[in-house]
Amino acid sequence: MKFAALLKRSADWMAVTGQHGDIVMTSRVRLARNIEGIPFPGWAKKDDRVAILEQVRNRIKELPQMEDDAFAEELNKLAPIRKQVLVERHLISREQAAKGAGSAAIISPSQTLSIMINEEDHLRLQSIQPGLNLNKAYDLVDRVDTELEKSLHYAFDNHYGYLTACPTNLGTGMRASSMLHLPGLVLGDQINQVIQAVNKIGLAVRGLYGEGTEALANLFQVSNQHTLGEREGEIIARLEKVILQIINHERNARQKLGESKPEKLMDHVGRAYATLCFSHIIESKEALNHLSMLRLGTDMGLFPKERAALIDSLLMGIQPAHMQIKAKGKLAAEERDTLRAEILRGQLKCLPEPDTLLSGNDDSQPDSESESDDNTFDSPSESIDDE
Amino acid sequence: MTCDSCTAKEATVFLHQSVNGQVHKVNLCEECAQEKGVTNPTGFALTDLFEGIGSEQKSETPQNSMDEVCQTCGFTQTDFKKTGRLGCSDCFEIFGAGLEGLLKAMHKGTRHVGKVPARASEEKAREDQLSDLKVALESAVTEERYEDAASIRDQIQQLAKTAE
């Protein structure tokens, strides 16, 4: 698959709304693995890294998930702008984009599986799924791992488990996370309490791009901190349990907002709508935050439900590299901001004005009781409110 | 507020780390922050930044012969302190003992209980069997059951052969 094809095609997890899709955007599981006896990428010389790349890339290409037409590229051969697009799509990490010779990324056609070679560890296997579906993400990445270990000698110790460059990844080498959209908690000033409570349980809450980034568009990544001393299944179960609680809090916060302060909600949504529909120059940060309000508006019945997909695709599409790559020449910051506004105006033409009839008796209000059916996986396109 | 590292310039980069309620703070000037890779997208070891700055101020930690070295990749204890990472899989045998404290603070437990690669579980099974046989051999010899001892010895040799 060429880069152009990857760009054109939305990832399977981008086009579809998953379980609890009004709050959980995506779920991701990443496994870190290394080869026995060869220095880790951060310490290895270029020759070592290239040797690992050669050893590993063919094994990966043979995987059933990667066979037909996977995207495979060495990072020093990819133009910086393309690497940025991959980062924006969460297919590679920012660290990986900064790497040179010997590092590569291999991505499945559906873009639900991506493998990084020579990032912080020799191998990073990652799966992304729409909505709350950590088990499916783990399942996929686990199968790939089991398949790869047949032909590669993994660095493993009976005491420490899978050996990784950084001690924080020892043991299972697994980082499981979900991206949550929590505008209700943010507007209700409860987000800090929730973050602190989550931290106390041993989970990490991070911004849109992971470690060290701020929360844009009210999007928060909740992940496990510990990787050693627990089974993979236990870690995921605990993470999922906490996420369900956060979902509950968010739904309550939204309901409260809709019932006790409908004007505040409608004001945020209305202003966001107006700004996005009529701006001619807009920065990504502002645009993302407004899109978050539109997404909230859609979930709360102020916009038609079918528009959620459009808003989600805009969240991805207005990011800097995604836009730059579609333009002919190199865009200066202000030119990007102008283009962004143009795209938004165009795309949002089909979005009607927000419904101003928001009362507590509305049918379109999310039912706070129906979200505890957590173990049944509905078909992806079903939104929780249709139950 | 002056930079904690060079103590010369004005600090403009402020780092806070909060671990289980304990807060560590470091203030750096632009140059030192750049030097320590704070703005580097490839990341930096925050923990070691705190430890490193503290120890730099105390005294020169000499690179002496007490510094253990990994035979496979040449990584040293000092390297670990600087980067917060290890050099290769064999490093764990040498630096493993020193990691215990760090791991206890970082993780839920210090022993792996999750997935095991198929190859490793085979090897482990063989190891366990081998040590069981060795114990059996010793007791057979002690109890002067020499015929049993001989057959166990043969089993051990057989097992050792298949391991190669």
Side-chain angles (χ1 to χ4, degrees):
Chain A
M1 175 170 62
K2 290 227 169 69
F3 185 83
L6 186 152
L7 185 66
K8 222 182 196 159
R9 187 194 162 142
S10 297
D12 276 7
W13 49 266
M14 279 161 61
V16 154
T17 307
Q19 180 88 344
H20 296 292
D22 56 332
I23 296 176
V24 186
M25 312 292 280
T26 55
S27 298
R28 191 186 72 121
V29 174
R30 176 275 274 156
L31 294 180
R33 297 286 187 259
N34 286 285
I35 310 290
E36 168 77 32
I38 304 189
F40 297 139
W43 187 245
K45 307 236 173 0
K46 180 169 152 188
D47 291 338
D48 283 330
R49 293 202 306 272
V50 173
I52 294 263
L53 176 59
E54 291 314 309
Q55 187 189 9
V56 155
R57 77 193 301 176
N58 292 323
R59 299 284 84 77
I60 294 177
K61 288 254 184 77
E62 285 163 13
L63 290 169
Q65 296 87 352
M66 297 296 204
E67 266 183 311
D68 310 305
D69 217 26
F71 170 83
E73 196 61 79
E74 289 175 51
L75 289 159
N76 57 346
K77 299 208 177 112
L78 258 184
I81 189 70
R82 293 184 166 191
K83 287 194 269 191
Q84 257 311 102
V85 170
L86 294 178
V87 171
E88 285 174 0
R89 281 205 186 180
H90 307 284
L91 292 170
I92 65 175
S93 62
R94 284 182 311 165
E95 288 76 13
Q96 186 69 337
K99 295 284 180 178
S103 296
I106 303 186
I107 301 167
S108 72
S110 63
Q111 296 174 50
T112 51
L113 177 68
S114 74
I115 299 182
M116 295 191 278
I117 303 174
N118 288 326
E119 201 234 34
E120 185 182 273
D121 296 293
H122 292 144
L123 281 174
R124 288 249 167 134
L125 316 173
Q126 170 186 287
S127 173
I128 306 182
Q129 298 292 328
L132 182 61
N133 211 337
L134 293 163
N135 288 309
K136 186 169 179 190
Y138 176 66
D139 208 50
L140 176 54
V141 100
D142 179 40
R143 269 185 282 138
V144 169
D145 179 46
T146 307
E147 190 60 42
L148 281 176
E149 97 189 359
K150 289 181 186 162
S151 49
L152 299 171
H153 198 152
Y154 277 166
F156 180 86
D157 179 81
N158 283 323
H159 187 113
Y160 298 119
Y162 289 96
L163 300 177
T164 55
C166 187
T168 54
N169 287 316
L170 278 180
T172 58
M174 180 182 82
R175 188 81 56 198
S177 64
S178 277
M179 183 83 76
L180 307 178
H181 184 221
L182 306 174
L185 290 171
V186 173
L187 289 176
D189 274 324
Q190 295 167 287
I191 191 68
N192 285 323
Q193 276 171 276
V194 171
I195 293 177
Q196 276 173 27
V198 169
N199 282 333
K200 282 212 175 80
I201 305 178
L203 300 176
V205 182
R206 302 203 167 110
L208 182 55
Y209 293 112
E211 203 161 359
T213 60
E214 58 179 311
L216 286 173
N218 300 315
L219 290 168
F220 298 88
Q221 254 192 46
V222 181
S223 71
N224 61 308
Q225 292 247 45
H226 316 296
T227 54
L228 179 62
E230 264 185 310
R231 267 176 262 275
E232 288 86 352
E234 291 167 352
I235 295 174
I236 289 180
R238 192 156 49 91
L239 181 60
E240 192 165 298
K241 194 164 138 203
V242 172
I243 289 176
L244 287 170
Q245 287 172 355
I246 299 176
I247 291 174
N248 204 4
H249 288 306
E250 172 66 19
R251 293 239 169 84
N252 287 339
R254 290 182 185 190
Q255 188 168 28
K256 195 166 160 209
L257 200 61
E259 283 171 359
S260 59
K261 293 186 194 157
E263 314 80 35
K264 184 171 176 186
L265 171 66
M266 290 192 283
D267 186 53
H268 281 290
V269 174
R271 283 173 191 265
Y273 179 79
T275 308
L276 292 179
C277 288
F278 294 105
S279 295
H280 282 258
I281 304 175
I282 188 166
E283 284 183 359
S284 66
K285 193 166 164 176
E286 189 187 348
L288 284 171
N289 289 331
H290 286 318
L291 283 169
S292 163
M293 287 298 105
L294 290 193
R295 189 52 153 83
L296 175 63
T298 311
D299 294 334
M300 301 209 60
L302 299 176
F303 297 113
K305 288 261 182 294
E306 317 79 64
R307 292 301 169 211
L310 167 67
I311 297 169
D312 289 346
S313 73
L314 281 171
L315 278 166
M316 185 63 71
I318 54 139
Q319 289 178 86
H322 268 77
M323 286 186 354
Q324 172 66 75
I325 203 146
K326 291 203 172 119
K328 302 282 177 195
K330 174 122 173 72
L331 298 173
E334 200 181 87
E335 289 173 308
R336 273 206 307 273
D337 294 344
T338 311
L339 178 60
R340 179 176 294 117
E342 192 181 313
I343 292 174
L344 284 165
R345 286 198 316 274
Q347 293 285 313
L348 291 175
K349 275 208 167 71
C350 60
L351 192 71
E353 277 177 27
D355 196 337
T356 50
L357 203 71
L358 190 70
S359 70
N361 303 320
D362 225 356
D363 286 329
S364 52
Q365 282 276 37
D367 183 3
S368 64
E369 259 121 60
S370 62
E371 86 290 6
S372 35
D373 294 344
D374 45 356
N375 286 321
T376 56
F377 292 122
D378 310 311
S379 70
S381 56
E382 214 178 288
S383 147
I384 202 83
D385 296 308
D386 292 335
E387 283 174 0
Chain B
M1 202 174 294
T2 36
C3 173
D4 286 335
S5 178
C6 64
T7 59
K9 305 214 179 74
E10 184 77 23
T12 53
V13 179
F14 305 98
L15 301 166
H16 289 210
Q17 185 193 44
S18 170
V19 176
N20 290 329
Q22 273 208 321
V23 178
H24 299 277
K25 294 187 187 175
V26 168
N27 311 313
L28 300 171
C29 67
E30 185 84 52
E31 283 79 18
C32 289
Q34 195 88 278
E35 212 178 295
K36 301 208 180 289
V38 171
T39 47
N40 192 338
T42 54
F44 64 104
L46 189 60
T47 325
D48 299 279
L49 197 62
F50 290 116
E51 291 175 13
I53 288 184
S55 59
E56 269 167 33
Q57 287 176 340
K58 285 192 201 125
S59 64
E60 277 289 311
T61 17
Q63 275 251 28
N64 49 23
S65 53
M66 295 284 280
D67 219 13
E68 287 157 9
V69 182
C70 170
Q71 293 307 317
T72 311
C73 68
F75 209 69
T76 63
Q77 186 85 320
T78 318
D79 290 323
F80 174 51
K81 274 211 159 69
K82 240 198 284 175
T83 62
R85 310 269 189 280
L86 285 140
C88 74
S89 49
D90 294 334
C91 287
F92 284 88
E93 281 173 46
I94 314 215
F95 305 119
L99 283 176
E100 279 295 316
L102 195 67
L103 294 179
K104 222 181 214 147
M106 262 182 210
H107 294 288
K108 206 103 184 154
T110 55
R111 209 182 160 87
H112 178 62
V113 293
K115 184 179 181 184
V116 172
R119 198 183 296 223
S121 57
E122 276 167 31
E123 283 172 10
K124 182 155 204 301
R126 222 188 341 257
E127 263 174 45
D128 290 343
Q129 209 184 356
L130 207 61
S131 55
D132 286 342
L133 284 174
K134 286 198 175 128
V135 167
L137 180 64
E138 266 186 52
S139 63
V141 168
T142 324
E143 292 161 23
E144 297 182 11
R145 291 179 283 116
Y146 293 117
E147 274 169 20
D148 291 342
S151 94
I152 296 175
R153 183 203 59 203
D154 289 340
Q155 284 181 51
I156 293 178
Q157 278 178 0
Q158 190 66 11
L159 202 61
K161 248 200 217 130
T162 57
E164 277 150 34

